Amino acid sequence: MFKDSTSVSTLKAPAAGIGETVTREDLLTAYRLMCEAAAMAAVYEANRPICKYVHSTSRGHEAIQIATGLQLHPWDYVSPYYRDDSMLLAMGFAPYELMLQLLAKAEDPFSGGRSYYSHPNSNRPDRPQIPHQSSATGMQVIPATGMAQGLQYLAQIQSDLLKTGPDGEMPVVVCSLGDSSVTEGEVSEALQFAVLKELPIIYLVQDNEWGISVTAPEARAMDAYEYAAGFKGLERMRVDGSDYDAAWHGMAAAISYVRHERKPILVQASVPLLGHHTSGVRKEWYRDAADLEKHAKNDPMPKLKSLLLRKGVSEEALHEIETNANAYIIKSFQEATAAAEPSPETVAQHVFAPTPVTEEKGERTPAGGAKVVMVDAALHAIEEIMQQYPEAILFGQDVGRRLGGVFREAATLGDKFGDHRVYNTAIQEAYIIGSTAGLSAVGVKPIVEVQFADYIYPGFNQLVTEISKSCYLTQGKYPVQTLVRVPIGAYGGGGPYHSGSVESTLLSIKGIKVVYPSNAADMKGLLKAAFLDPNPVVMLEHKGLYWSKVPGTQDAMTIEPGADYVLPLGKAAVVQQAHPKDVAMGNSICVITYGMGVYWAKAAAKAFPGNVEIIDLRTLFPLDEALIFETVKKHGKCMVLTEEQLNNSFTQSLAGRIQKACFRELDAPVYMLGAMDLPAVPLNMGLEAAMLPNPDKVAAMMQELLNY
């Protein structure tokens, strides 16, 4: 086993450098970088009116960060946290580059002025790869673990997408985090998955015993090292993160262990906090003199300087390094201050990466084709995807070969493609969703499933904080290609935790796409397009339409499209036309709907032959506003129909847009029909029916609108 003390190593592959003294040249490099980091912090503090955006610095953490950054390679992956500017310097980023982000300048190489200082991302081939991560208070641990999951899979299939060193050296993932973030529940999900799958990742916990004003005794019953003992298979070590020599040897051991053994390890590095929590939360507000003095005694810079003096480096040489670093940082800051501000015209760029699917292609109704139910259309689409794309994987709760999904939506896939490509997870919605950001970053194409829409909420943190913002905040460098399948909707007494509709909540998130097919052909075409889209797509799949078991939904069964069929997102369809004569006479209305609403509308429209035109949205974002507005203007009367509760919903928002765009052509207010505004769908089927729309309720509103 890997020992708690790095001085006694029993690794199968000895760590390079263990037992050796770090060279004087390496120590001088580290000292130069420390001086630059300290000078940066001092310059920022001296220029607070200019450094107006909130930021943190690495003062006190420099030794462990530099020791880590100098030992990483361009084929490695890193998830730094917001205090890691010394690590970024060690990985090769210039102070000027970091300052451009500090000051939110146009040439900020990471986000173009959109994100905070030390919130990096980079896909430069000469440096470790840094996908997007949030403000990194624990949320980044899941995407970082997803990177390791992806690297493991690419190695398993011997993919050319796996980046290795010139001599075949395997990549590692370093996830850096503060000690207070370890108490986040999502960290537990990540650690659990990492040890279960034996993933190649280093969790570097920088423990300064403060979480803003919260002390370690207030916040935790154990430190990260003690916590790690509860995760069987997670190796762990303590290291003095303020001592450069100890930090270098500790990280050398950890990196070598993961690079060779391909298993996870947690490194707890004890460090002092010498700076403010952030520029906006100042240390003197909550820390007393005794605490500040205690931390100052462990300042890494004097420790490293003393080591260099003992190794024969002169005071004059060290003074020259310090002087040069100060001058370099002042010059860099002056240049960054003078750099251009971003143009307001760029603010809407990079929300999404361009998608290759922009028009309908392939055979929608092949000659001699057989009708299939929606669930089988989806199943066949995924099978065809996995046959064509070896980097595609599918995972979620109960989708593995034993069951193949609670709706049999993944049946046979585990047998056909193996447990390494189709597998079960624990109840970990945050991990299921958030890991796709890391998987996508290394080149894997994940399809994941949340078992019921009601259970998507634990994954919302990842969806909002990590996934939806990635393309925008990386200026298009790291769009997240992920397809999240979500069975949704009410029927047959599913009850309050298996019947919910969540589209309005999803649509409040900017940076994701939301699809809602209502028949088998659309399901297959949209699923293929969603998979090929380089952006995150959530596909809502109504459980009541899966098998066409609900009376009146037989039309959800269609001839199965060919394997080449794709249907672009954002294109609605006219599923029923009003008679031109009724339209000309002003005796027509249109219904804008989706999902189960399509079938309620079609059933209700039978009472008004020729009077009703029905639009199936198919995609809720992007939304086909052109067809919607054109149709509403043609009829002058419109109903928007949904299964969701109406109050503050997507439907109300859409009605407002219709009223604004079509006001001159409207002959009546935009009518809306949805479920009653209740907290949940009741279990009793009679109560369920009372809450939800149905053809009779739709027909009554149609009659009222026609008579208006």
Side-chain angles (χ1 to χ4, degrees):
M1 292 294 290
F2 198 83
K3 300 299 182 182
D4 295 347
S5 169
T6 59
S7 63
V8 183
S9 176
T10 57
L11 295 176
K12 295 178 182 177
I18 292 183
E20 301 173 7
T21 302
V22 187
T23 67
R24 192 165 82 163
E25 289 70 24
D26 288 337
L27 293 174
L28 286 169
T29 297
Y31 190 67
R32 173 181 59 81
L33 292 170
M34 276 194 195
C35 290
E36 290 177 6
M40 287 161 61
V43 166
Y44 302 164
E45 183 69 10
N47 292 273
R48 289 176 61 192
I50 297 173
C51 305
K52 57 190 176 183
Y53 301 111
V54 66
H55 59 271
S56 296
T57 69
S58 58
R59 282 297 288 125
H61 295 228
E62 300 97 331
I64 189 65
Q65 291 182 19
I66 294 169
T68 302
L70 289 177
Q71 297 186 73
L72 295 175
H73 299 287
W75 56 90
D76 293 323
Y77 287 79
V78 189
S79 178
Y81 91 121
Y82 58 81
R83 202 178 291 283
D84 279 351
D85 56 4
S86 285
M87 187 184 295
L88 296 174
L89 293 175
M91 288 191 289
F93 292 96
Y96 175 71
E97 293 178 288
L98 304 188
M99 292 170 183
L100 289 173
Q101 187 173 50
L102 171 82
L103 302 174
K105 295 293 187 172
E107 296 305 313
D108 158 25
F110 306 126
S111 68
R114 296 173 178 183
S115 198
Y116 309 101
Y117 179 66
S118 197
H119 284 58
N121 58 80
S122 175
N123 57 5
R124 288 183 52 164
D126 61 336
R127 297 177 188 176
Q129 305 300 291
I130 310 175
H132 164 264
Q133 64 276 307
S134 66
S135 278
T137 51
M139 288 85 75
Q140 83 280 16
V141 182
I142 284 178
T145 306
M147 293 181 224
Q149 180 186 352
L151 294 176
Q152 182 188 70
Y153 175 69
L154 294 176
Q156 284 177 321
I157 65 171
Q158 299 181 322
S159 172
D160 292 339
L161 295 171
L162 181 69
K163 298 175 182 177
T164 58
D167 296 318
E169 298 95 334
M170 294 295 284
V172 302
V173 177
V174 173
C175 178
S176 177
L177 63 159
D179 55 293
S180 289
S181 66
V182 177
T183 56
E184 281 275 7
E186 293 183 7
V187 174
S188 173
E189 289 193 24
L191 297 181
Q192 183 76 245
F193 198 91
V195 296
L196 178 68
K197 300 294 185 179
E198 296 187 338
L199 301 181
I201 184 168
I202 300 161
Y203 299 103
L204 172 58
V205 180
Q206 300 178 51
D207 188 351
N208 61 34
E209 298 187 338
W210 280 99
I212 308 185
S213 68
V214 181
T215 64
E218 287 179 286
R220 67 195 194 198
M222 65 198 80
D223 64 22
Y225 178 86
E226 294 163 331
Y227 185 60
F231 294 89
K232 184 179 179 181
L234 179 60
E235 298 294 353
R236 58 196 178 118
M237 72 161 76
R238 295 189 193 272
V239 63
D240 182 352
S242 69
D243 182 312
Y244 185 78
D245 190 60
W248 190 89
H249 281 90
M251 290 309 299
I255 291 169
S256 181
Y257 173 74
V258 176
R259 203 177 296 286
H260 292 90
E261 299 299 315
R262 317 305 293 156
K263 295 178 181 179
I265 186 170
L266 183 142
V267 178
Q268 186 205 18
S270 57
V271 291
L273 179 60
L274 302 182
H276 307 288
H277 170 71
T278 66
S279 56
V281 183
R282 307 186 63 75
K283 59 187 178 183
E284 60 267 18
W285 295 352
Y286 58 92
R287 297 173 65 186
D288 59 26
D291 178 74
L292 294 171
E293 182 181 357
K294 168 191 164 187
H295 282 252
K297 289 178 180 178
N298 278 323
D299 188 335
M301 285 187 64
K303 288 186 176 183
L304 182 52
K305 185 173 184 177
S306 295
L307 178 60
L308 285 164
L309 290 170
R310 292 197 302 272
K311 288 184 176 293
V313 181
S314 68
E315 280 274 12
E316 292 75 15
L318 295 177
H319 181 70
E320 183 179 0
I321 290 173
E322 295 161 7
T323 302
N324 290 343
N326 284 326
Y328 174 44
I329 295 306
I330 290 171
K331 181 175 181 293
S332 297
F333 185 75
Q334 291 170 342
E335 292 173 352
T337 302
E341 296 288 323
S343 168
E345 296 175 357
T346 66
V347 70
Q349 294 175 356
H350 303 300
V351 176
F352 293 110
T355 177
V357 182
T358 57
E359 59 184 66
E360 188 172 4
K361 291 182 179 179
E363 288 191 274
R364 182 178 174 94
T365 54
K371 283 191 173 184
V372 294
V373 292
M374 278 182 65
V375 73
D376 284 348
L379 175 65
H380 299 161
I382 292 179
E383 181 174 349
E384 291 163 4
I385 285 169
M386 298 190 79
Q387 288 170 343
Q388 185 175 357
Y389 297 94
E391 62 271 29
I393 61 174
L394 169 67
F395 62 94
Q397 295 168 37
D398 299 303
V399 300
R401 71 169 74 204
R402 192 175 297 111
L403 181 61
V406 295
F407 300 101
R408 304 293 288 158
E409 71 281 3
T412 74
L413 295 178
D415 290 318
K416 291 177 179 176
F417 297 103
D419 294 337
H420 66 301
R421 296 189 68 187
V422 181
Y423 50 89
N424 294 327
T425 67
I427 302 173
Q428 293 182 324
E429 287 84 4
Y431 189 86
I432 291 168
I433 291 175
S435 62
T436 65
L439 287 159
S440 173
V442 304
V444 179
K445 300 181 186 297
I447 304 171
V448 299
E449 182 178 310
V450 173
Q451 200 165 74
F452 292 93
D454 309 76
Y455 300 150
I456 198 172
Y457 296 104
F460 256 76
N461 190 20
Q462 291 292 319
L463 195 61
V464 174
T465 307
E466 305 296 336
I467 291 175
S468 71
K469 294 177 172 59
S470 184
C471 187
Y472 185 69
L473 293 182
T474 65
Q475 301 184 93
K477 293 192 289 293
Y478 284 101
V480 178
Q481 179 176 11
T482 179
L483 172 54
V484 182
R485 298 182 63 191
V486 184
I488 192 171
Y491 82 100
Y497 299 108
H498 297 80
S499 308
S501 293
V502 298
E503 54 263 38
S504 290
T505 310
L506 285 165
L507 290 165
S508 70
I509 305 170
K510 314 310 172 191
I512 67 170
K513 301 182 181 183
V514 181
V515 179
Y516 204 140
S518 69
N519 61 68
D522 288 351
M523 169 73 89
K524 188 168 186 180
L526 289 169
L527 196 151
K528 289 282 187 79
F531 174 80
L532 295 170
D533 200 307
N535 303 288
V537 181
V538 179
M539 175 163 281
L540 303 176
E541 307 172 9
H542 200 292
K543 306 188 302 291
L545 300 178
Y546 264 158
W547 300 93
S548 290
K549 289 183 178 180
V550 176
T553 62
Q554 288 72 27
D555 287 350
M557 297 176 60
T558 68
I559 292 175
E560 181 172 359
D564 61 344
Y565 181 64
V566 290
L567 181 61
L569 276 57
K571 301 293 183 182
V574 180
V575 296
Q576 178 175 301
Q577 291 185 322
H579 196 283
K581 186 179 296 185
D582 288 297
V583 176
M585 295 176 63
N587 294 329
S588 65
I589 64 171
C590 63
V591 179
I592 313 298
T593 189
Y594 57 94
M596 188 63 78
V598 172
Y599 300 97
W600 292 330
K602 289 172 73 172
K606 291 177 181 178
F608 311 99
N611 300 125
V612 180
E613 191 150 315
I614 302 171
I615 302 296
D616 180 0
L617 295 176
R618 303 197 291 198
T619 302
L620 306 186
F621 190 88
L623 186 64
D624 192 349
E625 290 188 341
L627 180 60
I628 294 169
F629 297 157
E630 174 191 332
T631 305
V632 172
K633 290 176 181 179
K634 180 171 72 172
H635 297 281
K637 295 179 179 180
C638 171
M639 177 198 306
V640 187
L641 173 61
T642 181
E643 183 173 322
E644 267 198 306
Q645 297 93 324
L646 275 182
N647 197 31
N648 300 318
S649 66
F650 160 69
T651 297
Q652 284 191 333
S653 171
L654 177 55
R657 278 181 275 175
I658 292 171
Q659 303 235 97
K660 181 179 179 182
C662 307
F663 182 76
R664 295 181 183 276
E665 290 81 10
L666 284 172
D667 298 319
V670 176
Y671 277 45
M672 292 170 282
L673 181 62
M676 295 173 64
D677 289 316
L678 303 176
V681 180
L683 179 64
N684 178 273
M685 292 174 66
L687 296 176
E688 176 190 78
M691 177 187 180
L692 298 175
N694 60 40
D696 290 340
K697 294 178 184 179
V698 176
M701 185 168 283
M702 285 179 174
Q703 183 69 72
E704 183 179 343
L705 187 54
L706 283 164
N707 292 341
Y708 192 91

